[in-house]
Amino acid sequence: MDKKERIASRAAKELKNGDVVNLGIGIPTMVTDYLPENVQVFVHSENGILGVGPTPRPEEVDPDLVNAGKMPVTIKEGASFFDSAASFSMIRGGHVDVTILGVLQVDERGRIANWALPGQAVLGVGGAMDLLEGAKKVIVATTHTTKEGEPKLVRKTSYPLTSERKVDLIVTELAVFEVTEQGLVLTELADGVSLEEVAAKTEARFTIKLRTETEV
């Protein structure tokens, strides 16, 4: 797997049978391809779908079936469609169990910036703000650094915060961090990754409580 696939695969392990799950744009949308066979979840998209399936093969693409990021999707048997107002009512009403979001940055308190770069025109915050406030559990799925090698886990974000709510878990290709009242806690290292590498590529301060293989 490449690093994005590794991230999506690890994030998928956090989902439980029966969860209603919203997947953000980018790496999170790949999670549907790595769900364990014994776990059935209901994938929600802000543009009005409940029951999103795996990524379609080229011959399966239907231009009328897209997610909130306008990427083609498949749907599972029994899927439902509704307008955007109903979709956001589901989010704001607390009916989404888990959301998995991509980010530009995460600060050491677990707050994220994922919707705007200063100086660049944007259409708006999209559904991220609502998901952070309405979802019961928030997981970040992101590469550990930018394309330029700059840390994404920082002491203080240089981009606008999406919400004051802290996320619950951060999954990268290098490690997994839990977010606690005391800050970030490193709980897992990916295969072949050293603590020294994670420390060198992480600006945010964190404590260490690595779990054993039986606890993962």
Side-chain angles (χ1 to χ4, degrees):
M1 294 190 221
D2 67 19
K3 61 184 178 181
K4 291 183 178 180
E5 291 172 327
R6 292 200 303 273
I7 296 164
S9 175
R10 175 59 188 84
K13 294 179 180 178
E14 294 297 317
L15 303 180
K16 303 188 300 295
N17 213 34
D19 279 344
V20 174
V21 183
N22 183 285
L23 302 175
I25 294 170
I27 294 172
T29 61
M30 300 168 65
V31 167
T32 54
D33 298 331
Y34 296 96
L35 290 170
E37 290 185 7
N38 62 335
V39 174
Q40 298 294 323
V41 300
F42 304 93
V43 178
H44 170 272
S45 184
E46 296 103 289
N47 58 321
I49 309 174
L50 184 64
V52 176
T55 304
R57 295 188 295 269
E59 65 274 16
E60 295 177 323
V61 171
D62 181 339
D64 291 325
L65 289 177
V66 296
N67 61 22
K70 298 182 175 60
M71 298 298 293
V73 297
T74 60
I75 57 169
K76 292 187 173 182
E77 183 177 355
S80 56
F81 301 91
F82 33 86
D83 62 26
S84 185
S87 186
F88 274 83
S89 292
M90 293 170 66
I91 296 169
R92 294 167 184 167
H95 303 292
V96 173
D97 297 301
V98 184
T99 184
I100 303 177
L101 300 174
V103 299
L104 298 169
Q105 293 176 328
V106 190
D107 74 10
E108 60 185 26
R109 292 170 55 188
R111 301 177 302 174
I112 71 170
N114 77 337
W115 68 282
L117 295 172
Q120 294 189 18
V122 293
L123 295 176
V125 72
M129 185 181 293
D130 298 89
L131 287 162
L132 277 164
E133 294 300 323
K136 296 171 185 174
K137 181 176 182 179
V138 181
I139 298 171
V140 163
T142 182
T143 54
H144 207 90
T145 61
T146 66
K147 293 179 181 177
E148 294 75 30
E150 296 298 319
K152 286 191 174 183
L153 280 65
V154 296
R155 291 199 176 191
K156 183 179 180 181
T157 65
S158 56
Y159 304 143
L161 286 173
T162 308
S163 168
E164 286 289 335
R165 176 185 170 170
K166 300 187 293 291
V167 303
D168 299 289
L169 196 74
I170 302 166
V171 178
T172 79
E173 76 278 16
L174 301 182
V176 176
F177 295 83
E178 292 181 358
V179 180
T180 71
E181 290 300 320
Q182 289 71 43
L184 305 187
V185 181
L186 174 65
T187 59
E188 292 178 37
L189 292 173
D191 289 344
V193 175
S194 68
L195 181 57
E196 290 74 19
E197 181 180 3
V198 172
K201 295 180 178 179
T202 307
E203 181 188 294
R205 292 169 291 194
F206 60 90
T207 56
I208 303 166
K209 189 179 179 182
L210 293 176
R211 295 187 292 201
T212 66
E213 190 171 328
T214 57
E215 292 177 308
V216 175

